[in-house]
Amino acid sequence: MLTKRLQKISSVIPRSRVIADVGCDHGYVGIEALTSGVADSVIFVDISNDCLQKARENCPAALKNRADFVCQNGLENLIVDCAVICGMGGLEIISILNNALTPPLGLVLQPMKNQYETRKYLTENGYAIKSDELFCDGKFYDLIVAYRSQTAEILNEQELTFGKTNLQNPSEDFINFLKKELNKLNGILLCCSDSKALEKRTKVQNALAEALKKER
């Protein structure tokens, strides 16, 4: 039984010949891609051999002829149509993409932090962001789907900070996230003068005001 978070990730994976499930842990996302037919084959990748063994044990015998299990640090020399890299920091995701000898055509990313830097990296390295959605499953998560593109994508500061899909079509989860962020920043500014918190509060206030307008 997939959690809401893993269901959301699985639901946006594009139909692909070969998918890499990077940092696969238990392998649930890659197994779902095989089961649903989204992927012809999946390469399960993890730096931890123990985690890779869990994925190997969880993968049904009937699917194992379409699965490979590779213990290494990221993509390195793998050639895949789509890489799913979720549940790690944005800077770690960027490092994995930088070290890939062949950049994947598609990406499904779920950075736990440094979302701004992740979006900036994508737009500066030949990717266009198809969707960028925030959702809640006990905590808030950002889910980014991107494709290699010959046309450079330029995001403004708000889009880099919050994700263009969230700003264009704000969900209830996104609005709740902004409200929570605003309360947190107000608390910080009540205690001390912090120029970065003040700047961030302005961005959050502007995003929330626009989101509430669209909600109506």
Side-chain angles (χ1 to χ4, degrees):
M1 182 81 177
L2 296 179
T3 63
K4 178 182 174 182
R5 171 178 164 267
L6 295 182
Q7 286 175 352
K8 289 287 289 185
I9 292 168
S10 298
S11 72
V12 299
I13 297 175
R15 177 72 182 87
S16 304
R17 188 177 59 85
V18 184
I19 286 173
D21 183 359
V22 181
C24 64
D25 196 16
H26 290 80
Y28 295 138
V29 170
I31 292 167
E32 176 63 21
L34 289 172
T35 303
S36 67
V38 164
D40 292 337
S41 63
V42 170
I43 304 173
F44 295 84
V45 183
D46 207 290
I47 195 171
S48 163
N49 201 44
D50 288 342
C51 287
L52 203 62
Q53 183 59 27
K54 286 186 284 186
R56 188 182 282 110
E57 291 170 359
N58 286 332
C59 186
L63 300 177
K64 278 199 166 72
N65 64 331
R66 295 161 55 202
D68 285 305
F69 301 87
V70 178
C71 187
Q72 66 179 34
N73 185 18
L75 291 163
E76 296 183 357
N77 61 344
L78 298 178
I79 299 175
V80 299
D81 301 312
C82 177
V84 181
I85 314 175
C86 298
M88 59 185 80
L91 298 185
E92 190 174 357
I93 290 172
I94 289 168
S95 176
I96 287 170
L97 295 176
N98 270 334
N99 291 331
L101 293 182
T102 305
L105 296 176
L107 296 172
V108 175
L109 309 177
Q110 188 258 295
M112 300 296 290
K113 57 183 178 178
N114 300 114
Q115 291 88 348
Y116 180 104
E117 290 81 2
T118 304
R119 294 177 182 116
K120 193 168 189 291
Y121 174 87
L122 292 173
T123 60
E124 292 177 351
N125 287 273
Y127 285 95
I129 295 174
K130 178 187 176 185
S131 65
D132 190 343
E133 179 188 1
L134 181 142
F135 67 94
C136 184
D137 182 18
K139 61 196 293 188
F140 292 106
Y141 298 97
D142 290 275
L143 184 57
I144 301 170
V145 180
Y147 294 91
R148 290 201 67 76
S149 173
Q150 294 182 340
T151 306
E153 182 172 35
I154 299 172
L155 300 182
N156 61 39
E157 192 68 14
Q158 287 289 83
E159 289 169 334
L160 287 170
T161 303
F162 299 110
K164 66 177 185 179
T165 304
N166 293 318
L167 296 171
Q168 290 169 354
N169 300 294
S171 65
E172 183 180 351
D173 282 347
F174 180 57
I175 290 171
N176 288 337
F177 164 77
L178 292 175
K179 289 177 178 177
K180 185 175 180 180
E181 282 293 290
L182 188 56
N183 287 336
K184 182 173 76 175
L185 291 165
N186 283 335
I188 291 170
L189 291 167
L190 276 174
C191 298
C192 62
S193 177
D194 185 318
S195 59
K196 286 187 178 179
L198 187 61
E199 181 184 353
K200 189 173 181 182
R201 184 175 71 174
T202 301
K203 288 182 181 180
V204 171
Q205 285 174 325
N206 290 341
L208 181 57
E210 287 300 313
L212 291 173
K213 272 189 210 172
K214 289 179 180 176
E215 189 185 36
R216 296 191 200 107

